[in-house]
DNA sequence: TCAAGGTAGTTGAATGTTCAACATGTGAAC
DNA sequence: GTTCACATGTTGAACATTCAACTACCTTGA
């Protein structure tokens, strides 16, 4: 009897339309940006994200766990990705003075300049295919909406 | 001299905020839904997408190329994924009468009922973490915006 | 009718990602 | 100060995706 309480509450047709539009658009946009980044700079989106986060951190370094969290990646994935970035010379690992378990990922100078180059193109694409085709008021709505989504997801862990 | 024309046109700070909010929110949402689907139904998002498209097609079948296009996947990826779905018994392949190169992917009865079950939960999650936390007017804005994004991407292939 | 070029789909190897197990270190309780 | 639970980060194997051939078939046109 209890199980039966969970009746499917379907979306109404306009909700469904909007939801679908979002899913399709965001998948295609992500694909496009990913391809572009890889073709022009040999970086995957997750590698790029890591460089961005490091570049914004104080002293351009972060603990692995913080970096994983801020780049929305699992620790394992970060560890592998970081090894790749390290072998490309864009990132360097160093042990953490206070906590011997800890590891800092540092952005190297080479990493910084690779990021600079990539960011210019990345923003260009974001502009061409996202910012510039969206009405400014709708862009604000997007900001509000996704902030709420992130907050909601944070509530449950 | 020509190369120098491409000056970085950075985003202004509110554009940047909205863009970031979107990237973060959509990554987290995608992650959440992916995990949920896999945990409860053993399906990846791309497998789910394939089942959805098939279920909506006339006679619940599509040519591989059409399916790839509508699920935004490469043909190679579809081919592999389809093999997995076939071995789970959710999809069945059949040669195409008119065109001997062609292959139809059919949704099986088992596939249809697996999809039904998954869809109920999927919608529930979409509602909990997306639809229900977004102001209806903002949701409309999202629909408009991402429709425009998809159109723009379509212009360049 | 047959050669040339295009399309459909699959394959296998290289590459990335996930998952569970592990090694190491910390910190709090006793 | 030893023990126990927990946290950090890495590893390797299983799994998924991408990329570049490749097979088979269709279409066009001379």
């Amino acid at each position: 009897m209890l199980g039966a309480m969970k009746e499917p509450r379907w979306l109404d047709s306009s909700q469904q339309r909007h939801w679908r539009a979002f899913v399709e658009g965001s998948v295609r946009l992500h694909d496009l940006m990913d391809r572009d980044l890889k073709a022009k700079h040999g970086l995957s989106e997750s590698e790029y994200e890591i460089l961005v986060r490091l570049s914004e951190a104080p002293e351009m370094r972060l603990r692995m766990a913080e970096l994983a969290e801020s780049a929305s990646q699992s620790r394992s994935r970060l560890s592998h990705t970081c090894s790749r970035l390290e072998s490309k010379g864009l990132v360097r690992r160093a042990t953490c003075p206070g906590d011997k378990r800890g590891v800092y990922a540092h952005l190297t100078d080479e990493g910084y300049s690779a990021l600079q180059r990539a960011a210019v193109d990345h923003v260009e694409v974001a502009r061409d295919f996202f910012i510039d085709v969206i009405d400014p008021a709708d862009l604000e709505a997007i900001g509000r909406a996704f902030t709420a989504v992130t907050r909601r997801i944070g509530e449950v862990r």
Side-chain angles (χ1 to χ4, degrees), chain A:
Chain A
M1 211 52 186
L2 266 165
M5 293 182 64
K6 192 164 144 195
E7 307 208 347
R9 298 182 302 143
W10 297 107
L11 305 181
D12 71 36
S13 86
S14 75
Q15 288 175 325
Q16 180 152 174
R17 229 175 36 251
H18 303 324
W19 165 253
R20 290 272 186 128
F22 158 62
V23 171
E24 167 145 9
S26 64
V27 166
R28 296 210 188 256
L29 182 63
H30 186 274
D31 263 33
L32 179 77
M33 298 195 76
D34 213 12
R35 270 174 215 299
D36 189 74
L37 209 47
K38 195 156 318 178
K40 295 188 190 149
H41 303 278
L43 291 172
S44 70
E45 193 119 359
S46 62
E47 291 172 328
Y48 178 78
E49 199 61 25
I50 288 170
L51 300 183
V52 169
R53 301 305 170 149
L54 286 179
S55 77
E56 288 168 347
E59 308 186 47
M60 299 203 180
R61 71 193 164 102
L62 281 173
R63 288 285 296 265
M64 295 300 274
E66 297 172 310
L67 183 50
E69 168 63 19
S70 91
S72 313
Q73 298 186 13
S74 72
R75 293 188 184 183
S76 168
R77 180 176 175 186
L78 175 63
S79 195
H80 287 296
T81 307
C82 219
S83 302
R84 252 173 282 135
L85 287 171
E86 210 172 1
S87 73
K88 290 186 197 177
L90 309 183
V91 160
R92 180 171 45 79
R93 273 189 261 220
T95 56
C96 177
D99 182 343
K100 284 184 198 158
R101 295 168 305 181
V103 172
Y104 272 111
H106 290 256
L107 190 61
T108 64
D109 292 348
E110 202 183 336
Y112 186 75
S113 57
L115 175 59
Q116 293 280 70
R117 289 191 300 275
V120 171
D121 281 333
H122 198 68
V123 170
E124 196 71 31
V125 177
R127 200 183 259 298
D128 271 10
F129 294 89
F130 189 79
I131 307 282
D132 283 352
V133 301
I134 296 174
D135 184 282
D138 290 351
L139 187 58
E140 279 183 42
I142 289 175
R144 263 194 307 279
F146 284 93
T147 299
V149 168
T150 299
R151 188 184 321 117
R152 175 73 182 96
I153 292 176
E155 284 171 19
V156 305
R157 171 107 321 272

